[in-house]
Amino acid sequence: MSIISADILVLGSGVAGLSIAIKTARALPDKTVLVATKADESESNTKYAQGGIAAVWDKLDSFEDHIRDTMVAGDYSNDPEVVKMVVEEAPGCMKQLIKWGTDFDQNLEGEMDLGKEGGHSTNRILHYKDITGYEIEKTLLEQVSSLANIKLLPYHFAIDLITNHHITGKGKDEKISCYGAYVLNQKTSKIDTYLATSTILATGGIGQVYAATTNPLIATGDGIAMAYRAKAKITDMEFVQFHPTSLYQPGESPSFLISEAVRGFGAYLRNKSGERFMLKIDDRAELAPRDIVSRAINTELIFSGDSHVFLDCTHLDMSEFRRHFPNIFEKCKSLGIDPESQWIPVVPAAHYLMGGIEVDKNGQTSIGNLFACGECSRTGLHGANRLASNSLLEALVYGNKIAHEIIRNRSKMVFDQELSIPEWDEEGTMVPKEKVLISHNRKTIQNIMTDLVAIVRSDERLEKALDHLNYLYEDTEKAYEKSKLSPQICELRNLNAIAYLVVQQSMLRKENKGAFYSLDNLA
Ligand code: FAD
Ligand code: SIN
C-alpha cells in the first residue's frame, strides 16, 4: 500500500471530471492533477449522451426563453439564480468545447444545426449526430493527453473519502475537511492513500440502482454514497428522472436510448391501438417535459396491461432521419426493426438524478476542500425535473466554477504534513467464493427500486422498500466487513446507500413535484 500525493485529485473521467482537470492543469502547470476512474478512461454516462447540449445560439432565441423552459420543466423548484448563471454561461462553454476540438453538426448554410427536445420552446440543442457524448468525451481525453501535469489512472476505484473522521491527532476536531481518498488499484488489488489539497467528486449518476436504466454499469452512485458516509449534505434524492423512450428489449441492460431528439424531429408516441395518447395529456404532446411523458406512458401501460408503447417515425423524411440519427437507425435495423416502416417499441427507464451532493455556486460541498461536479452534484439548476440536454451543460459550467475556485486559492495549496492520516486498514480478508451472493443482492436492490420506487410511488410502497433495504443493508455490511474489498462489494454497498437515500427522501416529500409522484400526495 502506498501514499500518493497530488495537488488536485479528481474522481471520475466523464465531462465533469475531465473538464476540471483540463482547466486546472492548464492554469497551474506546476501543480499535479490526478484523475482516478474506476473503469476504462472513456467509460461514463457522458460517452453515451445522444441528444446534445442546450445553449442559446440562434439569434432568435434568448436567455429568457432558456431560463423559462428550465424553470417550467423543473416545476419551479429550481434555484433561479443558478438557472440564470448556467444559461448565460452556456454559449461560452460551447465556444470552449469547439476550441478544444469538438465537432457539432452544421446545416447546409454552415450554421449550427440546432435540434429540439422535450420542454424546449425552440431549437437550441447543439449536437454531433446522435453520438454527441462520444464526441465530447473523445475531445476531452485528447486534451488531457496533451497536458503533462495530468495523470489519468484507469481502473482505480475510489472507496472512501479521507476526512477528519480518519485523523487521530492534529486536525481531528477542526471543521470537517477532505484530504483525499482511499483508492483501490484494480490491477494490484492494493488500496492506496491519495492525499490532495482539493478533491473533486465527478463520479456521475445512479441509474444502476434500477433494473431498467439507460445508464451504463459504472453509474452506481459511488460519489454520493462516499459523500454521505463522510456526512456531506445530500438533497433532492427523491427526484429521479425516467426517460420516456428507451428501446423495449426485455433482459437487456443497460437499455438503449432512443433520443428525445427523435421526438423533436417529429416522431409520434402511439399505444398498441395506434392512438397518439399524448395529445389528450398535454398541449405540447410528445414534446412535453420528460416527467409528464413518462408518467403518461406509465399510465397507458398500467391500464392496457401492455409491456411497451411505440415511437412512430414512419411519416418522417428517412434520409434526413438517417443523417441525424445514424446510431439509432443502425441499432434498430440490427434488431430487425425498420424505422421507415415499423414502429419502434419503447418504454421509460431510469435516466438521471436531479438530486445529489449539495453544492454552492462554486461547486463547493458542505465539506471543506471537497467539490462535486456533474450528475453526482445537486446545484439547484434542474429543480424537480431536468430540462433535456441541460446536464452536460451543467457539468461544463460548474467545471469552470470549480476550476476557477481552485485556481483562485492556489496560494493555499499546501498540504499540512503534520496531519496524521492513517493508511487504509483492511480488516476483511475473505474472498467471496460465490460472487453470486453479491450479484443477487445487487439485482434485488434493482428490483425493489423498479417495483416500488419508480415513476409512481406511495407510502405503502416506500415502507415496504425500506423494510427490504434494511435487511439488505445488514447483509451487505456483514459481507463488507469480512471481505477483501472488490469493486463489486463496494458498488453493492453504495447502491444500498443510494436506494436508502431515494426512499428516505421520498418519504419526507409530501407534495408531488416534477418527477416525484406519490399516490398519497395531493398536488
Ligand atoms: P459521468 O459521465 O457518468 O462520469 C462519471 C465518471 O466517474 C466515470 O468515469 C466513472 O467511471 C467514474 N466513477 C464512478 N464511480 C467511481 C469510483 N468509485 N471511483 C472512481 N471513478 C468512479 N445529458 C445531456 O445534457 N444531453 C444528452 O444528450 C444526454 N444524453 C444522455 C444519454 C444517455 C444514454 C445517458 C445515460 C445520459 C445522457 N445525458 C445527457 C446525461 C449526461 O450524459 C450525464 O448526466 C453526464 O454525462 C454526467 O457527466 P458526469 O461527468 O457527471 O458523469
Ligand atoms: C436524449 O438524447 O434524449 C437524452 C438527452 C438528455 O438526457 O438530456
Side-chain angles (χ1 to χ4, degrees), residues 197-434:
T197 45
S198 300
T199 302
I200 299 107
L201 286 167
T203 44
I206 65 152
Q208 284 290 325
V209 80
Y210 287 92
T213 178
T214 61
N215 291 192
L217 293 175
I218 52 101
T220 49
D222 299 349
I224 301 173
M226 281 189 265
Y228 173 61
R229 287 194 288 273
K231 308 212 181 319
K233 255 182 147 176
I234 314 287
T235 40
D236 285 356
M237 293 294 287
E238 68 275 33
F239 296 131
V240 179
Q241 180 168 79
F242 286 76
H243 196 293
T245 56
S246 79
L247 186 62
Y248 175 68
Q249 249 189 311
E252 199 60 30
S253 179
S255 308
F256 181 80
L257 184 73
I258 307 290
S259 174
E260 195 153 291
V262 172
R263 274 174 284 134
F265 191 74
Y268 299 146
L269 277 167
R270 296 191 188 277
N271 59 21
K272 203 158 78 184
S273 337
E275 186 197 358
R276 262 186 81 192
F277 56 90
M278 280 311 299
L279 290 174
K280 64 182 185 222
I281 307 278
D282 195 287
D283 289 346
R284 295 160 290 184
E286 283 85 358
L287 288 177
R290 273 178 202 170
D291 53 336
I292 295 170
V293 182
S294 287
R295 246 186 330 266
I297 297 176
N298 192 59
T299 307
E300 279 292 319
L301 299 183
I302 285 172
F303 287 107
S304 65
D306 294 336
S307 52
H308 56 277
V309 293
F310 296 93
L311 198 60
D312 175 7
C313 305
T314 56
H315 55 291
L316 302 174
D317 176 340
M318 259 311 130
S319 67
E320 274 299 292
F321 184 92
R322 289 175 73 157
R323 195 171 68 76
H324 276 260
F325 308 112
N327 185 37
I328 293 172
F329 186 83
E330 283 311 319
K331 176 73 181 183
C332 290
K333 288 290 270 191
S334 75
L335 298 169
I337 305 161
D338 182 358
E340 187 158 17
S341 56
Q342 288 167 292
W343 298 345
I344 305 169
V346 290
V347 72
H351 183 63
Y352 184 83
L353 173 70
M354 273 68 76
I357 308 159
E358 196 172 301
V359 293
D360 68 12
K361 287 202 198 67
N362 294 318
Q364 169 72 57
T365 69
S366 55
I367 294 181
N369 303 329
L370 179 68
F371 298 88
C373 189
E375 194 165 338
C376 69
S377 69
R378 183 271 184 205
T379 62
L381 171 68
H382 309 305
N385 173 57
R386 172 175 68 97
L387 179 68
S389 287
N390 262 355
S391 168
L392 296 167
L393 173 62
E394 178 192 53
L396 288 165
V397 171
Y398 274 84
N400 281 347
K401 297 280 164 205
I402 292 169
H404 183 261
E405 196 58 12
I406 291 173
I407 296 162
R408 192 173 68 82
N409 287 312
R410 59 187 171 279
S411 60
K412 297 183 210 147
M413 284 177 111
V414 184
F415 200 88
D416 185 347
Q417 300 297 338
E418 283 178 37
L419 294 175
S420 78
I421 294 180
E423 290 189 50
W424 182 263
D425 178 14
E426 188 164 15
E427 285 172 10
T429 51
M430 187 197 75
V431 178
K433 272 202 247 64
E434 298 187 304

Side-chain angles (χ1 to χ4, degrees), residues 12-13 15-16 37-38 43-46 49 51-52 158 203 222 375 391-392:
S13 59
V15 60
T37 192
K38 71 175 173 181
E43 189 57 2
S44 57
N45 276 8
T46 300
T203 44
D222 299 349
E375 194 165 338
S391 168
L392 296 167

Side-chain angles (χ1 to χ4, degrees), residues 9-14 17-18 34-44 137 141 151-158 183-187 194 202-203 218 222:
L9 175 64
V10 180
L11 303 175
S13 59
L18 294 182
L34 291 185
V35 182
T37 192
K38 71 175 173 181
D40 164 67
E41 59 197 29
S42 72
E43 189 57 2
S44 57
E137 185 73 18
L141 284 171
K151 189 159 181 209
L152 199 48
L153 303 167
Y155 300 101
H156 280 64
F157 189 108
V183 178
L184 169 66
N185 179 333
Q186 290 155 255
K187 294 207 174 116
Y194 282 75
T203 44
I218 52 101
D222 299 349

Side-chain angles (χ1 to χ4, degrees), residues 295 452 454-462 506-507 509-523:
R295 246 186 330 266
L452 303 172
I455 297 175
V456 173
R457 302 173 194 170
S458 73
D459 290 347
E460 208 177 339
R461 292 182 204 185
L462 293 174
S506 294
M507 284 174 148
R509 177 157 291 280
K510 296 297 168 207
E511 179 198 22
N512 290 337
K513 272 265 161 209
F516 179 84
Y517 187 88
S518 166
L519 296 171
D520 293 307
N521 289 350
L522 288 175

